Amino acid sequence: MEENNNNITEEEILKETESHVEAQAEAEEANTETETEKSTKSEKKKSKKLESENAELRKMLDEKSRELSELNDKYLRLFAEYDNFRKRTAKEKESAYADACCDTLEHILPVLDNLERAAQYNTEDNAETPMGKGLELTLKSFVEALSKLGVAEIEALGKEFDPNIHNAVMHIEDENESENTVVEVFMKGYAKGDKVLRHSMVKVAN
């Protein structure tokens, strides 16, 4: 009777042991699943954090790109305005110098006319005198000085009449001359580059 009680006790102990082992295994499996879930949740949390940080960085980058683009546009506009100002100032300066130079030369040309008239009446005898030689040298120096300033005589005699550079003060009928041809120059004209300082006063054949 006692032996039967001992056997039952061992079986119960064995069952309890197996039950305990199974429970422990289930607990370990549950713990393993819990750790996996925790790890997965942690990875997801880190991933969301990184995505948030990336989004913030992209936003900052876009903002800086926009600011850089605005600054670049401002720089380009400022550079264009300065370049236009520089060109305009240089052009105005050049124009002011040219106008002042032309105004001065227009007042000097009558002096040249007088020297040339005096030279026309300088006879051979007078040309050898100190005064005659001085007049010749003065006239030569005057013409050279004007040439250095870019002033040149406008060709007129024998040329076709051009109202842009010639001023017709007289017309004649002459069968020996081509029509609309300058046959006589009353006063020489001069130009500095493309700018006419004084038109040539001429006689034109019709």
Side-chain angles (χ1 to χ4, degrees):
M1 192 70 175
E2 290 179 1
E3 184 179 355
N4 188 29
N5 288 335
N6 289 335
N7 290 336
I8 293 173
T9 302
E10 289 178 0
E11 288 179 0
E12 290 177 353
I13 291 172
L14 181 60
K15 287 182 179 180
E16 288 179 2
T17 302
E18 290 177 353
S19 177
H20 179 71
V21 171
E22 290 178 357
Q24 187 175 1
E26 290 177 357
E28 289 178 355
E29 185 177 353
N31 289 336
T32 302
E33 290 177 356
T34 303
E35 291 295 329
T36 303
E37 290 176 357
K38 288 182 179 179
S39 177
T40 302
K41 289 180 181 179
S42 178
E43 291 296 330
K44 288 182 178 180
K45 188 175 182 181
K46 288 181 181 180
S47 179
K48 288 182 179 180
K49 184 178 180 181
L50 289 175
E51 288 178 359
S52 177
E53 290 177 352
N54 287 338
E56 187 67 24
L57 289 174
R58 281 195 297 271
K59 183 178 179 181
M60 292 174 62
L61 181 61
D62 292 340
E63 181 69 18
K64 294 301 178 182
S65 297
R66 185 183 63 79
E67 292 178 0
L68 179 61
S69 180
E70 290 178 356
L71 289 174
N72 187 55
D73 289 341
K74 289 181 181 179
Y75 166 76
L76 291 176
R77 285 197 297 270
L78 181 62
F79 179 80
E81 290 176 1
Y82 171 75
D83 190 51
N84 291 335
F85 170 77
R86 181 182 60 80
K87 290 178 180 178
R88 184 173 61 253
T89 301
K91 187 176 181 180
E92 290 175 353
K93 183 179 179 181
E94 182 179 353
S95 178
Y97 170 78
D99 291 342
C101 184
C102 290
D103 290 342
T104 302
L105 290 171
E106 287 176 6
H107 289 85
I108 291 177
L109 290 178
V111 179
L112 177 59
D113 295 335
N114 292 332
L115 288 173
E116 288 180 336
R117 291 191 189 97
Q120 288 177 352
Y121 295 101
N122 199 17
T123 63
E124 293 183 2
D125 293 336
N126 290 335
E128 296 301 322
T129 64
M131 183 176 292
K133 291 181 179 180
L135 176 61
E136 183 180 352
L137 289 174
T138 301
L139 180 59
K140 183 179 179 181
S141 298
F142 205 117
V143 173
E144 288 177 352
L146 290 178
S147 179
K148 290 179 180 178
L149 290 172
V151 179
E153 180 183 341
I154 296 174
E155 295 184 6
L157 188 62
K159 301 293 182 181
E160 183 178 358
F161 175 74
D162 183 353
N164 294 315
I165 56 177
H166 304 142
N167 181 18
V169 296
M170 187 180 294
H171 293 268
I172 62 167
E173 298 292 339
D174 192 340
E175 295 180 354
N176 297 322
E177 298 291 344
S178 300
E179 186 177 357
N180 207 35
T181 300
V182 176
V183 294
E184 187 176 352
V185 178
F186 297 114
M187 183 181 291
K188 293 180 180 179
Y190 293 90
K192 177 177 171 59
D194 296 332
K195 184 175 179 61
V196 176
L197 299 176
R198 187 176 72 186
H199 290 71
S200 302
M201 291 186 182
V202 299
K203 179 193 294 185
V204 181
N206 292 331

